Amino acid sequence: MSSSASTPTGSARKPRAPSDATRASLTPETWIEAATEVLVDQGIDHVRVDLLAQALGVTRGSFYWHFKDREDLLRRVLQAWRERATENLTVRLESATEDPMEQLRGVLSLPFRGRAAARAARIELAIRAWARRDQMARFAVDEADASRIGYIAQLFSALGFPVVEARSRAFLLYSYVVSESLMPTLSTKAQKDERRRFAERLFTQKLGL
């Protein structure tokens, strides 16, 4: 008798659990990216461990290889956003040129950088919506805003503006950049280009007495 005869015909086999290799192949970044996509497309209430595991084709247990709990994942989502959209971005602007005026132009150009800018804006909008109802997200947004405004204020100070005025100019320029990012379909490309040139003149010219 062959060994196969010991198995009843038509008996169902239980699906195999993900192996250690499968679990290990899902890095924390994989989960963070998946959570971010759900946040953008469906909102924070749908960022759940069971739904993410189902979308990634693994068990819930594999999630706990990398995170303590859902709160830990959400904290890491905010951390990844802060690093990508604030810290790393500032470093790139500073490394591109030492000229503060050119760095300001780089800031003003951020909302117009194609698909990368559109994706960044979608994530930002989702996180700001989340921050309206969650203290942890609110703190992360406030921290990001303060860091970005502080960086821009330093650029204005380097251009010779007094500290208090540099902060005010930075706040207004930052508000303009955020508005352009969150309203990408409001104007034509020509209108956006003209508005950006006007914004540069407006924010950098000396005020008359």
Side-chain angles (χ1 to χ4, degrees), residues 33-75:
E33 183 65 21
T36 300
E37 288 299 319
V38 172
L39 172 66
V40 170
D41 294 336
Q42 303 178 55
I44 189 60
D45 291 338
H46 290 81
V47 182
R48 291 165 32 197
V49 177
D50 56 337
L51 296 181
L52 291 173
Q54 183 179 8
L56 292 171
V58 296
T59 65
R60 286 170 54 97
S62 62
F63 170 84
Y64 296 102
W65 277 55
H66 305 294
F67 305 95
K68 292 185 297 184
D69 48 29
R70 179 176 182 266
E71 187 79 359
D72 186 27
L73 171 64
L74 297 182
R75 188 179 300 107

mmCIF file of all heavy atoms in Angstrom, residues 33-75:
data_model
loop_
_atom_site.group_PDB
_atom_site.id
_atom_site.type_symbol
_atom_site.label_atom_id
_atom_site.label_comp_id
_atom_site.label_asym_id
_atom_site.label_seq_id
_atom_site.Cartn_x
_atom_site.Cartn_y
_atom_site.Cartn_z
ATOM 1 N N GLU A 33 4.589 51.311 5.494
ATOM 2 C CA GLU A 33 4.123 51.770 4.187
ATOM 3 C C GLU A 33 2.679 51.337 3.945
ATOM 4 O O GLU A 33 1.858 52.124 3.446
ATOM 5 C CB GLU A 33 5.032 51.210 3.088
ATOM 6 C CG GLU A 33 4.694 51.686 1.683
ATOM 7 C CD GLU A 33 4.905 53.179 1.491
ATOM 8 O OE1 GLU A 33 5.662 53.794 2.270
ATOM 9 O OE2 GLU A 33 4.293 53.752 0.561
ATOM 10 N N ALA A 34 2.361 50.104 4.304
ATOM 11 C CA ALA A 34 0.987 49.617 4.131
ATOM 12 C C ALA A 34 0.023 50.418 5.001
ATOM 13 O O ALA A 34 -1.083 50.783 4.556
ATOM 14 C CB ALA A 34 0.912 48.135 4.483
ATOM 15 N N ALA A 35 0.414 50.704 6.227
ATOM 16 C CA ALA A 35 -0.433 51.497 7.127
ATOM 17 C C ALA A 35 -0.637 52.909 6.586
ATOM 18 O O ALA A 35 -1.735 53.465 6.672
ATOM 19 C CB ALA A 35 0.185 51.544 8.520
ATOM 20 N N THR A 36 0.411 53.476 6.020
ATOM 21 C CA THR A 36 0.313 54.826 5.462
ATOM 22 C C THR A 36 -0.649 54.867 4.285
ATOM 23 O O THR A 36 -1.455 55.797 4.149
ATOM 24 C CB THR A 36 1.701 55.325 5.022
ATOM 25 O OG1 THR A 36 2.587 55.341 6.159
ATOM 26 C CG2 THR A 36 1.620 56.732 4.445
ATOM 27 N N GLU A 37 -0.589 53.838 3.439
ATOM 28 C CA GLU A 37 -1.493 53.780 2.295
ATOM 29 C C GLU A 37 -2.942 53.680 2.744
ATOM 30 O O GLU A 37 -3.830 54.345 2.190
ATOM 31 C CB GLU A 37 -1.129 52.589 1.403
ATOM 32 C CG GLU A 37 0.160 52.762 0.630
ATOM 33 C CD GLU A 37 0.121 53.945 -0.321
ATOM 34 O OE1 GLU A 37 -0.931 54.156 -0.970
ATOM 35 O OE2 GLU A 37 1.121 54.675 -0.398
ATOM 36 N N VAL A 38 -3.206 52.863 3.752
ATOM 37 C CA VAL A 38 -4.571 52.744 4.268
ATOM 38 C C VAL A 38 -5.013 54.059 4.901
ATOM 39 O O VAL A 38 -6.161 54.499 4.731
ATOM 40 C CB VAL A 38 -4.660 51.597 5.296
ATOM 41 C CG1 VAL A 38 -6.026 51.593 5.975
ATOM 42 C CG2 VAL A 38 -4.416 50.254 4.611
ATOM 43 N N LEU A 39 -4.125 54.700 5.630
ATOM 44 C CA LEU A 39 -4.431 55.995 6.237
ATOM 45 C C LEU A 39 -4.860 57.003 5.181
ATOM 46 O O LEU A 39 -5.857 57.721 5.341
ATOM 47 C CB LEU A 39 -3.210 56.508 6.996
ATOM 48 C CG LEU A 39 -3.291 57.935 7.547
ATOM 49 C CD1 LEU A 39 -4.350 58.037 8.637
ATOM 50 C CD2 LEU A 39 -1.925 58.380 8.078
ATOM 51 N N VAL A 40 -4.128 57.059 4.086
ATOM 52 C CA VAL A 40 -4.426 58.016 3.011
ATOM 53 C C VAL A 40 -5.739 57.678 2.316
ATOM 54 O O VAL A 40 -6.565 58.561 2.056
ATOM 55 C CB VAL A 40 -3.266 58.038 1.991
ATOM 56 C CG1 VAL A 40 -3.659 58.829 0.743
ATOM 57 C CG2 VAL A 40 -2.018 58.641 2.625
ATOM 58 N N ASP A 41 -5.945 56.406 2.020
ATOM 59 C CA ASP A 41 -7.102 55.996 1.219
ATOM 60 C C ASP A 41 -8.396 55.838 2.024
ATOM 61 O O ASP A 41 -9.485 56.081 1.509
ATOM 62 C CB ASP A 41 -6.805 54.673 0.505
ATOM 63 C CG ASP A 41 -5.712 54.820 -0.539
ATOM 64 O OD1 ASP A 41 -5.504 55.947 -1.026
ATOM 65 O OD2 ASP A 41 -5.050 53.806 -0.855
ATOM 66 N N GLN A 42 -8.275 55.434 3.310
ATOM 67 C CA GLN A 42 -9.475 55.086 4.062
ATOM 68 C C GLN A 42 -9.598 55.770 5.422
ATOM 69 O O GLN A 42 -10.668 55.723 6.031
ATOM 70 C CB GLN A 42 -9.515 53.564 4.274
ATOM 71 C CG GLN A 42 -9.473 52.767 2.978
ATOM 72 C CD GLN A 42 -9.476 51.282 3.227
ATOM 73 O OE1 GLN A 42 -10.360 50.748 3.903
ATOM 74 N NE2 GLN A 42 -8.480 50.575 2.698
ATOM 75 N N GLY A 43 -8.529 56.373 5.906
ATOM 76 C CA GLY A 43 -8.598 57.051 7.193
ATOM 77 C C GLY A 43 -8.042 56.217 8.327
ATOM 78 O O GLY A 43 -7.856 54.998 8.206
ATOM 79 N N ILE A 44 -7.788 56.870 9.447
ATOM 80 C CA ILE A 44 -7.099 56.240 10.569
ATOM 81 C C ILE A 44 -7.889 55.078 11.165
ATOM 82 O O ILE A 44 -7.295 54.113 11.660
ATOM 83 C CB ILE A 44 -6.794 57.305 11.656
ATOM 84 C CG1 ILE A 44 -5.882 56.723 12.741
ATOM 85 C CG2 ILE A 44 -8.067 57.863 12.250
ATOM 86 C CD1 ILE A 44 -4.552 56.249 12.226
ATOM 87 N N ASP A 45 -9.200 55.107 11.137
ATOM 88 C CA ASP A 45 -9.993 54.034 11.740
ATOM 89 C C ASP A 45 -9.775 52.686 11.054
ATOM 90 O O ASP A 45 -10.030 51.632 11.648
ATOM 91 C CB ASP A 45 -11.482 54.381 11.722
ATOM 92 C CG ASP A 45 -11.825 55.520 12.674
ATOM 93 O OD1 ASP A 45 -11.047 55.749 13.626
ATOM 94 O OD2 ASP A 45 -12.858 56.178 12.466
ATOM 95 N N HIS A 46 -9.325 52.705 9.802
ATOM 96 C CA HIS A 46 -9.110 51.469 9.059
ATOM 97 C C HIS A 46 -7.676 50.961 9.171
ATOM 98 O O HIS A 46 -7.360 49.902 8.611
ATOM 99 C CB HIS A 46 -9.474 51.662 7.585
ATOM 100 C CG HIS A 46 -10.940 51.810 7.339
ATOM 101 N ND1 HIS A 46 -11.608 52.999 7.511
ATOM 102 C CD2 HIS A 46 -11.882 50.904 6.960
ATOM 103 C CE1 HIS A 46 -12.895 52.829 7.240
ATOM 104 N NE2 HIS A 46 -13.081 51.569 6.906
ATOM 105 N N VAL A 47 -6.822 51.704 9.845
ATOM 106 C CA VAL A 47 -5.450 51.238 10.059
ATOM 107 C C VAL A 47 -5.475 50.283 11.246
ATOM 108 O O VAL A 47 -5.273 50.667 12.395
ATOM 109 C CB VAL A 47 -4.482 52.412 10.311
ATOM 110 C CG1 VAL A 47 -3.052 51.896 10.477
ATOM 111 C CG2 VAL A 47 -4.544 53.410 9.173
ATOM 112 N N ARG A 48 -5.783 49.012 10.946
ATOM 113 C CA ARG A 48 -5.938 47.968 11.966
ATOM 114 C C ARG A 48 -5.034 46.795 11.631
ATOM 115 O O ARG A 48 -4.809 46.485 10.454
ATOM 116 C CB ARG A 48 -7.389 47.509 12.042
ATOM 117 C CG ARG A 48 -8.324 48.557 12.608
ATOM 118 C CD ARG A 48 -9.785 48.231 12.355
ATOM 119 N NE ARG A 48 -10.069 46.807 12.336
ATOM 120 C CZ ARG A 48 -11.192 46.291 11.814
ATOM 121 N NH1 ARG A 48 -12.108 47.093 11.291
ATOM 122 N NH2 ARG A 48 -11.402 44.985 11.843
ATOM 123 N N VAL A 49 -4.548 46.155 12.662
ATOM 124 C CA VAL A 49 -3.595 45.066 12.477
ATOM 125 C C VAL A 49 -4.195 43.949 11.634
ATOM 126 O O VAL A 49 -3.550 43.431 10.711
ATOM 127 C CB VAL A 49 -3.125 44.518 13.843
ATOM 128 C CG1 VAL A 49 -2.194 43.322 13.634
ATOM 129 C CG2 VAL A 49 -2.415 45.603 14.632
ATOM 130 N N ASP A 50 -5.440 43.562 11.909
ATOM 131 C CA ASP A 50 -6.033 42.449 11.174
ATOM 132 C C ASP A 50 -6.195 42.773 9.690
ATOM 133 O O ASP A 50 -5.937 41.920 8.828
ATOM 134 C CB ASP A 50 -7.371 42.056 11.796
ATOM 135 C CG ASP A 50 -8.351 43.214 11.871
ATOM 136 O OD1 ASP A 50 -7.914 44.384 11.857
ATOM 137 O OD2 ASP A 50 -9.573 42.951 11.961
ATOM 138 N N LEU A 51 -6.610 44.001 9.390
ATOM 139 C CA LEU A 51 -6.798 44.380 7.987
ATOM 140 C C LEU A 51 -5.467 44.492 7.249
ATOM 141 O O LEU A 51 -5.360 44.104 6.085
ATOM 142 C CB LEU A 51 -7.550 45.711 7.916
ATOM 143 C CG LEU A 51 -8.980 45.711 8.459
ATOM 144 C CD1 LEU A 51 -9.618 47.082 8.304
ATOM 145 C CD2 LEU A 51 -9.827 44.648 7.745
ATOM 146 N N LEU A 52 -4.450 44.994 7.926
ATOM 147 C CA LEU A 52 -3.132 45.096 7.301
ATOM 148 C C LEU A 52 -2.548 43.712 7.041
ATOM 149 O O LEU A 52 -1.971 43.461 5.976
ATOM 150 C CB LEU A 52 -2.191 45.916 8.190
ATOM 151 C CG LEU A 52 -2.495 47.404 8.329
ATOM 152 C CD1 LEU A 52 -1.584 48.037 9.368
ATOM 153 C CD2 LEU A 52 -2.328 48.114 6.988
ATOM 154 N N ALA A 53 -2.694 42.812 8.016
ATOM 155 C CA ALA A 53 -2.182 41.453 7.848
ATOM 156 C C ALA A 53 -2.874 40.762 6.674
ATOM 157 O O ALA A 53 -2.225 40.074 5.872
ATOM 158 C CB ALA A 53 -2.387 40.663 9.136
ATOM 159 N N GLN A 54 -4.174 40.965 6.561
ATOM 160 C CA GLN A 54 -4.917 40.371 5.451
ATOM 161 C C GLN A 54 -4.435 40.925 4.111
ATOM 162 O O GLN A 54 -4.252 40.176 3.156
ATOM 163 C CB GLN A 54 -6.405 40.649 5.626
ATOM 164 C CG GLN A 54 -7.281 40.023 4.561
ATOM 165 C CD GLN A 54 -8.757 40.304 4.794
ATOM 166 O OE1 GLN A 54 -9.125 41.085 5.661
ATOM 167 N NE2 GLN A 54 -9.617 39.669 4.011
ATOM 168 N N ALA A 55 -4.220 42.234 4.055
ATOM 169 C CA ALA A 55 -3.762 42.857 2.809
ATOM 170 C C ALA A 55 -2.358 42.390 2.430
ATOM 171 O O ALA A 55 -2.043 42.250 1.237
ATOM 172 C CB ALA A 55 -3.785 44.380 2.951
ATOM 173 N N LEU A 56 -1.531 42.119 3.425
ATOM 174 C CA LEU A 56 -0.158 41.693 3.160
ATOM 175 C C LEU A 56 -0.037 40.181 3.013
ATOM 176 O O LEU A 56 1.040 39.667 2.700
ATOM 177 C CB LEU A 56 0.758 42.180 4.289
ATOM 178 C CG LEU A 56 0.959 43.699 4.374
ATOM 179 C CD1 LEU A 56 1.708 44.068 5.656
ATOM 180 C CD2 LEU A 56 1.711 44.211 3.151
ATOM 181 N N GLY A 57 -1.131 39.461 3.268
ATOM 182 C CA GLY A 57 -1.125 38.017 3.097
ATOM 183 C C GLY A 57 -0.378 37.253 4.162
ATOM 184 O O GLY A 57 0.228 36.207 3.874
ATOM 185 N N VAL A 58 -0.406 37.764 5.392
ATOM 186 C CA VAL A 58 0.273 37.091 6.504
ATOM 187 C C VAL A 58 -0.680 37.022 7.694
ATOM 188 O O VAL A 58 -1.775 37.564 7.664
ATOM 189 C CB VAL A 58 1.563 37.844 6.913
ATOM 190 C CG1 VAL A 58 2.577 37.833 5.777
ATOM 191 C CG2 VAL A 58 1.242 39.280 7.328
ATOM 192 N N THR A 59 -0.244 36.348 8.740
ATOM 193 C CA THR A 59 -1.053 36.262 9.943
ATOM 194 C C THR A 59 -0.799 37.482 10.834
ATOM 195 O O THR A 59 0.202 38.184 10.692
ATOM 196 C CB THR A 59 -0.706 35.000 10.742
ATOM 197 O OG1 THR A 59 0.652 35.090 11.209
ATOM 198 C CG2 THR A 59 -0.861 33.757 9.876
ATOM 199 N N ARG A 60 -1.706 37.691 11.772
ATOM 200 C CA ARG A 60 -1.526 38.776 12.737
ATOM 201 C C ARG A 60 -0.242 38.596 13.540
ATOM 202 O O ARG A 60 0.397 39.569 13.929
ATOM 203 C CB ARG A 60 -2.719 38.818 13.701
ATOM 204 C CG ARG A 60 -3.994 39.369 13.113
ATOM 205 C CD ARG A 60 -5.165 39.135 14.073
ATOM 206 N NE ARG A 60 -4.899 39.658 15.411
ATOM 207 C CZ ARG A 60 -5.306 40.844 15.849
ATOM 208 N NH1 ARG A 60 -5.998 41.632 15.040
ATOM 209 N NH2 ARG A 60 -5.046 41.234 17.074
ATOM 210 N N GLY A 61 0.114 37.323 13.772
ATOM 211 C CA GLY A 61 1.295 37.059 14.568
ATOM 212 C C GLY A 61 2.556 37.661 13.986
ATOM 213 O O GLY A 61 3.457 38.066 14.724
ATOM 214 N N SER A 62 2.644 37.724 12.650
ATOM 215 C CA SER A 62 3.852 38.274 12.026
ATOM 216 C C SER A 62 4.012 39.759 12.321
ATOM 217 O O SER A 62 5.122 40.284 12.305
ATOM 218 C CB SER A 62 3.813 38.039 10.518
ATOM 219 O OG SER A 62 2.716 38.703 9.926
ATOM 220 N N PHE A 63 2.900 40.434 12.593
ATOM 221 C CA PHE A 63 2.958 41.864 12.949
ATOM 222 C C PHE A 63 3.769 42.073 14.221
ATOM 223 O O PHE A 63 4.562 43.009 14.334
ATOM 224 C CB PHE A 63 1.538 42.397 13.143
ATOM 225 C CG PHE A 63 1.456 43.772 13.735
ATOM 226 C CD1 PHE A 63 1.577 44.903 12.946
ATOM 227 C CD2 PHE A 63 1.256 43.939 15.102
ATOM 228 C CE1 PHE A 63 1.502 46.175 13.499
ATOM 229 C CE2 PHE A 63 1.181 45.206 15.669
ATOM 230 C CZ PHE A 63 1.305 46.324 14.856
ATOM 231 N N TYR A 64 3.589 41.154 15.168
ATOM 232 C CA TYR A 64 4.213 41.324 16.475
ATOM 233 C C TYR A 64 5.688 40.948 16.495
ATOM 234 O O TYR A 64 6.328 41.048 17.539
ATOM 235 C CB TYR A 64 3.417 40.531 17.521
ATOM 236 C CG TYR A 64 2.018 41.073 17.678
ATOM 237 C CD1 TYR A 64 0.932 40.435 17.080
ATOM 238 C CD2 TYR A 64 1.791 42.262 18.375
ATOM 239 C CE1 TYR A 64 -0.351 40.956 17.189
ATOM 240 C CE2 TYR A 64 0.509 42.780 18.487
ATOM 241 C CZ TYR A 64 -0.560 42.126 17.890
ATOM 242 O OH TYR A 64 -1.820 42.657 17.996
ATOM 243 N N TRP A 65 6.211 40.570 15.356
ATOM 244 C CA TRP A 65 7.649 40.415 15.242
ATOM 245 C C TRP A 65 8.331 41.784 15.246
ATOM 246 O O TRP A 65 9.505 41.902 15.599
ATOM 247 C CB TRP A 65 8.001 39.696 13.937
ATOM 248 C CG TRP A 65 7.900 38.207 14.017
ATOM 249 C CD1 TRP A 65 6.818 37.465 14.401
ATOM 250 C CD2 TRP A 65 8.933 37.271 13.708
ATOM 251 N NE1 TRP A 65 7.103 36.143 14.355
ATOM 252 C CE2 TRP A 65 8.398 35.970 13.923
ATOM 253 C CE3 TRP A 65 10.242 37.386 13.259
ATOM 254 C CZ2 TRP A 65 9.140 34.814 13.705
ATOM 255 C CZ3 TRP A 65 10.979 36.233 13.034
ATOM 256 C CH2 TRP A 65 10.437 34.969 13.265
ATOM 257 N N HIS A 66 7.595 42.808 14.823
ATOM 258 C CA HIS A 66 8.200 44.129 14.628
ATOM 259 C C HIS A 66 7.612 45.227 15.508
ATOM 260 O O HIS A 66 8.259 46.256 15.735
ATOM 261 C CB HIS A 66 8.041 44.550 13.161
ATOM 262 C CG HIS A 66 8.589 43.575 12.180
ATOM 263 N ND1 HIS A 66 9.928 43.288 12.075
ATOM 264 C CD2 HIS A 66 7.967 42.797 11.250
ATOM 265 C CE1 HIS A 66 10.126 42.388 11.125
ATOM 266 N NE2 HIS A 66 8.945 42.080 10.603
ATOM 267 N N PHE A 67 6.383 45.038 15.990
ATOM 268 C CA PHE A 67 5.701 46.089 16.753
ATOM 269 C C PHE A 67 5.072 45.518 18.015
ATOM 270 O O PHE A 67 4.605 44.383 18.025
ATOM 271 C CB PHE A 67 4.610 46.752 15.895
ATOM 272 C CG PHE A 67 5.108 47.287 14.585
ATOM 273 C CD1 PHE A 67 5.014 46.515 13.433
ATOM 274 C CD2 PHE A 67 5.665 48.554 14.502
ATOM 275 C CE1 PHE A 67 5.478 47.000 12.222
ATOM 276 C CE2 PHE A 67 6.133 49.042 13.289
ATOM 277 C CZ PHE A 67 6.040 48.261 12.148
ATOM 278 N N LYS A 68 5.049 46.327 19.057
ATOM 279 C CA LYS A 68 4.427 45.887 20.302
ATOM 280 C C LYS A 68 2.914 45.806 20.169
ATOM 281 O O LYS A 68 2.283 44.872 20.654
ATOM 282 C CB LYS A 68 4.805 46.838 21.443
ATOM 283 C CG LYS A 68 6.271 46.787 21.839
ATOM 284 C CD LYS A 68 6.543 47.648 23.051
ATOM 285 C CE LYS A 68 6.268 49.124 22.763
ATOM 286 N NZ LYS A 68 6.621 49.984 23.916
ATOM 287 N N ASP A 69 2.346 46.819 19.514
ATOM 288 C CA ASP A 69 0.897 46.886 19.371
ATOM 289 C C ASP A 69 0.561 47.921 18.300
ATOM 290 O O ASP A 69 1.464 48.469 17.652
ATOM 291 C CB ASP A 69 0.222 47.257 20.702
ATOM 292 C CG ASP A 69 0.882 48.467 21.373
ATOM 293 O OD1 ASP A 69 1.432 49.329 20.645
ATOM 294 O OD2 ASP A 69 0.833 48.569 22.611
ATOM 295 N N ARG A 70 -0.718 48.159 18.095
ATOM 296 C CA ARG A 70 -1.145 49.124 17.079
ATOM 297 C C ARG A 70 -0.609 50.513 17.373
ATOM 298 O O ARG A 70 -0.206 51.250 16.465
ATOM 299 C CB ARG A 70 -2.677 49.161 17.008
ATOM 300 C CG ARG A 70 -3.241 50.153 16.003
ATOM 301 C CD ARG A 70 -4.751 50.047 15.933
ATOM 302 N NE ARG A 70 -5.331 50.939 14.942
ATOM 303 C CZ ARG A 70 -5.791 52.171 15.216
ATOM 304 N NH1 ARG A 70 -5.723 52.643 16.472
ATOM 305 N NH2 ARG A 70 -6.317 52.922 14.266
ATOM 306 N N GLU A 71 -0.588 50.890 18.639
ATOM 307 C CA GLU A 71 -0.093 52.210 19.015
ATOM 308 C C GLU A 71 1.363 52.383 18.600
ATOM 309 O O GLU A 71 1.776 53.443 18.144
ATOM 310 C CB GLU A 71 -0.231 52.399 20.532
ATOM 311 C CG GLU A 71 0.090 53.798 21.026
ATOM 312 C CD GLU A 71 -1.048 54.781 20.815
ATOM 313 O OE1 GLU A 71 -2.095 54.364 20.261
ATOM 314 O OE2 GLU A 71 -0.894 55.942 21.197
ATOM 315 N N ASP A 72 2.133 51.332 18.747
ATOM 316 C CA ASP A 72 3.537 51.365 18.344
ATOM 317 C C ASP A 72 3.646 51.578 16.837
ATOM 318 O O ASP A 72 4.475 52.362 16.359
ATOM 319 C CB ASP A 72 4.209 50.057 18.752
ATOM 320 C CG ASP A 72 5.711 50.057 18.497
ATOM 321 O OD1 ASP A 72 6.322 51.150 18.503
ATOM 322 O OD2 ASP A 72 6.284 48.970 18.302
ATOM 323 N N LEU A 73 2.814 50.895 16.068
ATOM 324 C CA LEU A 73 2.807 51.070 14.609
ATOM 325 C C LEU A 73 2.458 52.508 14.244
ATOM 326 O O LEU A 73 3.128 53.130 13.403
ATOM 327 C CB LEU A 73 1.805 50.115 13.966
ATOM 328 C CG LEU A 73 1.530 50.341 12.475
ATOM 329 C CD1 LEU A 73 2.778 50.114 11.645
ATOM 330 C CD2 LEU A 73 0.382 49.445 11.993
ATOM 331 N N LEU A 74 1.418 53.052 14.872
ATOM 332 C CA LEU A 74 1.008 54.422 14.543
ATOM 333 C C LEU A 74 2.102 55.417 14.882
ATOM 334 O O LEU A 74 2.327 56.388 14.147
ATOM 335 C CB LEU A 74 -0.282 54.764 15.292
ATOM 336 C CG LEU A 74 -1.509 53.927 14.940
ATOM 337 C CD1 LEU A 74 -2.721 54.405 15.727
ATOM 338 C CD2 LEU A 74 -1.784 53.957 13.442
ATOM 339 N N ARG A 75 2.782 55.176 15.977
ATOM 340 C CA ARG A 75 3.895 56.048 16.357
ATOM 341 C C ARG A 75 4.996 56.003 15.299
ATOM 342 O O ARG A 75 5.575 57.031 14.934
ATOM 343 C CB ARG A 75 4.442 55.622 17.715
ATOM 344 C CG ARG A 75 5.467 56.576 18.299
ATOM 345 C CD ARG A 75 5.952 56.109 19.657
ATOM 346 N NE ARG A 75 4.846 56.017 20.618
ATOM 347 C CZ ARG A 75 4.323 54.877 21.061
ATOM 348 N NH1 ARG A 75 4.804 53.724 20.638
ATOM 349 N NH2 ARG A 75 3.324 54.887 21.919
#
